[in-house]
Amino acid sequence: MITLYDLPTKTVPGTMITWRTRYALNLKNLPFQVVDVELPDVEALAKKIGAAPTSTKSDGVSPFYTIPIIQDDSTGAVVSDSIDIAAYLDKTYPSSGPVLIPTGTKALQLAFSSAVVDAFAPFRPFFAHNMTKKVNDATAAYFLRVRLGGVAKDAPEGEEREKLLTSAKQNLGKINKWFEGSEGDFVMGNEPCFADTAICAFLQFTRTMLGEESEEWKDVASWDDGRWGKYLEIFKPYEKLL
Amino acid sequence: MITLYDLPTKTVPGTMITWRTRYALNLKNLPFQVVDVELPDVEALAKKIGAAPTSTKSDGVSPFYTIPIIQDDSTGAVVSDSIDIAAYLDKTYPSSGPVLIPTGTKALQLAFSSAVVDAFAPFRPFFAHNMTKKVNDATAAYFLRVRLGGVAKDAPEGEEREKLLTSAKQNLGKINKWFEGSEGDFVMGNEPCFADTAICAFLQFTRTMLGEESEEWKDVASWDDGRWGKYLEIFKPYEKLL
């Protein structure tokens, strides 16, 4: 059995990046269990189970540990970082589900997922406002201290809100243009790959944070001829939480 | 014979984006001739030979025409936009040279080339300063009016210069990380693709604008264990100007 270490929330589980791995595991039809870890406990967990750090802290030296992390009982492997997890799943379970990182495309997949992260940046003030309410106290306090500098942000309103939404719309519109001439619904055509999990992870998180019934989410879902809402519909079978 | 419409300059020919197509034609070992076109004459040329616009002007409606444009006598095709030109060359000359856009990778290639454009953005003030000196008068006047708002910029100096170079170094460092674990020198491994032409086009242009002997270019060439300088060395055989 594969264990996915993920952040517990009061509503839909998981945080933006860990959704890449939930989708990946489900796309590859691999059974997994989820073990909750609050953000302030990620470093201790990673050290305990031998998960590698994924980058360095702002001092440029100290190792920085992040989720998702998976632990695979059948091989003993512990893997962190969503791209490395996808590569591990491709290598270990080659005949199960689509190849997430077709040969030679790793750098391209990372360029795409980086573009996705940047494109969703204008939503961050909306996320920040809602995040502290939707996670447990330990994570909320950590998030407030480490990521928000101790100050809870108000939801963006008025002119600021319009500006952020317009900017997000332009960013997603740019990505939408990259799909022009594509024969399927996915980044690489007819089969989903790592880049699709990167987009859907952010769409999923955006929907949770804005609220599925909110005016903002309905807007996002309708942009680019409804591509973003439709994307999550297509990925719905891969949302299942084992 | 294929004709490439390109910008004449007083030094190394070509502008940043057209270098993508020079490299593409050379990688595919296709003979071509270059016909010069000054920037203010691109629209009239495109309309005359039936080249499609590549985007819209800042009003969001009027068609915007850009180089590179190629015209292929053997098929009668006229193609604009570097990604469409690469796709055309793959389709029309499938057995000549590497496949520039392997099946299913178009959106990924565009994500990568977009990341390259963004990464080089801090160099723009250096480019702007030098551009007007290295092109002919017609293009220099057009560039000054349309792109620089009529004001010739000074070369960045002192703190501003350091800040821009630090920012460019960070951006390229991020791209360098995407290559980690790659088995070859190129984005997709051992064979160059469209994304490689996008990087090398900007490196080539940067080298020309900063000056091959400048301290700035020597710096850039040395970053990331010399990856960027080495890239242009590897691409040197594909610089030839037919």
Side-chain angles (χ1 to χ4, degrees):
Chain A
M1 174 70 96
I2 294 172
T3 299
L4 167 66
Y5 293 94
D6 201 355
L7 179 70
T9 72
K10 294 175 184 164
T11 52
V12 178
T15 180
M16 50 177 116
I17 301 291
T18 61
W19 265 99
R20 295 181 181 180
T21 299
R22 283 172 178 268
Y23 282 132
L25 289 162
N26 282 323
L27 282 165
K28 292 193 87 72
N29 204 25
L30 298 168
F32 64 100
Q33 64 178 356
V34 175
V35 170
D36 290 340
V37 54
E38 300 289 344
L39 281 193
D41 304 326
V42 169
E43 180 165 340
L45 167 78
K47 287 179 173 168
K48 184 179 150 203
I49 62 175
T54 53
S55 63
T56 51
K57 290 181 181 171
S58 54
D59 64 11
V61 184
S62 316
F64 185 54
Y65 297 87
T66 57
I67 47 174
I69 295 170
I70 65 159
Q71 190 166 24
D72 187 347
D73 288 344
S74 63
T75 62
V78 174
V79 191
S80 46
D81 211 338
S82 61
I83 187 89
D84 293 337
I85 293 172
Y88 169 81
L89 298 177
D90 278 344
K91 192 178 154 201
T92 313
Y93 304 98
S95 56
S96 192
V99 178
L100 298 169
I101 308 170
T103 306
T105 69
K106 188 184 165 195
L108 296 173
Q109 303 279 353
L110 284 170
F112 196 99
S113 61
S114 172
V116 167
V117 173
D118 292 347
F120 280 83
F123 286 120
R124 287 188 182 271
F126 296 92
F127 296 165
H129 171 67
N130 287 303
M131 184 80 177
T132 46
K133 297 183 203 157
K134 300 204 175 184
V135 293
N136 295 331
D137 291 351
T139 287
Y142 177 89
F143 185 79
L144 193 60
R145 181 170 58 81
V146 176
R147 302 281 177 84
L148 301 182
V151 182
K153 309 278 194 211
D154 290 333
E157 280 181 13
E159 205 176 305
E160 173 70 359
R161 179 181 167 281
E162 290 310 312
K163 202 175 139 195
L164 289 167
L165 289 173
T166 301
S167 174
K169 186 176 182 176
Q170 282 171 347
N171 293 353
L172 287 172
K174 183 177 166 188
I175 292 181
N176 181 56
K177 274 186 165 299
W178 297 342
F179 285 81
E180 272 176 16
S182 170
E183 288 184 13
D185 292 317
F186 303 113
V187 171
M188 295 194 72
N190 293 309
E191 287 277 349
C193 66
F194 177 77
D196 296 289
T197 70
I199 291 189
C200 285
F202 267 76
L203 288 171
Q204 164 72 253
F205 189 72
T206 305
R207 185 173 66 186
T208 305
M209 287 297 141
L210 300 179
E212 188 158 3
E213 296 306 319
S214 69
E215 193 190 327
E216 287 90 348
W217 170 252
K218 285 179 182 167
D219 253 17
V220 176
S222 77
W223 293 343
D224 299 314
D225 297 326
R227 178 183 293 280
W228 313 114
K230 191 181 161 197
Y231 229 134
L232 283 190
E233 283 305 306
I234 297 170
F235 259 53
K236 202 169 180 56
Y238 310 110
E239 280 179 15
K240 64 177 186 287
L241 313 168
L242 300 181
Chain B
M1 177 68 96
I2 294 172
T3 298
L4 167 66
Y5 293 95
D6 201 353
L7 180 69
T9 72
K10 292 172 185 166
T11 53
V12 178
T15 180
M16 50 178 116
I17 301 291
T18 61
W19 265 100
R20 295 182 182 180
T21 299
R22 282 173 179 267
Y23 281 131
L25 289 161
N26 282 323
L27 283 165
K28 292 192 87 73
N29 204 25
L30 298 168
F32 64 99
Q33 65 177 354
V34 175
V35 170
D36 290 340
V37 54
E38 301 288 345
L39 280 193
D41 303 327
V42 170
E43 179 166 340
L45 166 78
K47 285 178 174 168
K48 184 178 151 207
I49 63 174
T54 53
S55 63
T56 52
K57 290 182 182 170
S58 54
D59 64 10
V61 184
S62 315
F64 184 55
Y65 298 88
T66 58
I67 48 173
I69 296 169
I70 65 158
Q71 189 166 27
D72 187 346
D73 287 346
S74 63
T75 62
V78 174
V79 191
S80 46
D81 210 339
S82 62
I83 186 89
D84 292 338
I85 292 171
Y88 169 81
L89 297 177
D90 277 342
K91 191 178 155 198
T92 313
Y93 304 99
S95 56
S96 191
V99 179
L100 298 169
I101 308 171
T103 307
T105 70
K106 188 184 165 194
L108 295 174
Q109 303 278 352
L110 285 169
F112 196 99
S113 61
S114 171
V116 167
V117 173
D118 292 347
F120 281 82
F123 287 120
R124 288 188 180 273
F126 296 92
F127 296 164
H129 170 69
N130 286 304
M131 184 80 178
T132 47
K133 298 182 201 154
K134 300 203 175 186
V135 294
N136 296 330
D137 291 351
T139 287
Y142 176 88
F143 185 80
L144 193 61
R145 181 170 56 82
V146 176
R147 303 280 178 85
L148 301 182
V151 183
K153 309 277 193 211
D154 288 334
E157 279 182 11
E159 205 175 308
E160 172 70 358
R161 178 182 168 281
E162 290 309 312
K163 203 174 138 193
L164 290 168
L165 289 173
T166 300
S167 175
K169 187 177 183 178
Q170 283 172 345
N171 294 352
L172 287 173
K174 184 177 164 185
I175 292 179
N176 181 55
K177 274 186 164 297
W178 297 343
F179 285 81
E180 272 177 16
S182 172
E183 289 183 14
D185 291 318
F186 303 113
V187 172
M188 294 194 72
N190 294 308
E191 288 277 347
C193 66
F194 177 77
D196 296 290
T197 69
I199 290 189
C200 286
F202 268 76
L203 288 172
Q204 163 73 253
F205 189 72
T206 304
R207 185 174 65 186
T208 306
M209 287 297 141
L210 300 180
E212 189 159 2
E213 297 305 320
S214 69
E215 194 190 327
E216 287 90 347
W217 170 252
K218 284 178 182 167
D219 252 17
V220 176
S222 77
W223 293 344
D224 300 314
D225 297 326
R227 179 183 294 281
W228 314 114
K230 192 180 162 197
Y231 230 133
L232 283 190
E233 283 305 306
I234 298 170
F235 258 53
K236 203 168 178 60
Y238 311 110
E239 280 179 16
K240 64 178 186 284
L241 311 168
L242 301 180

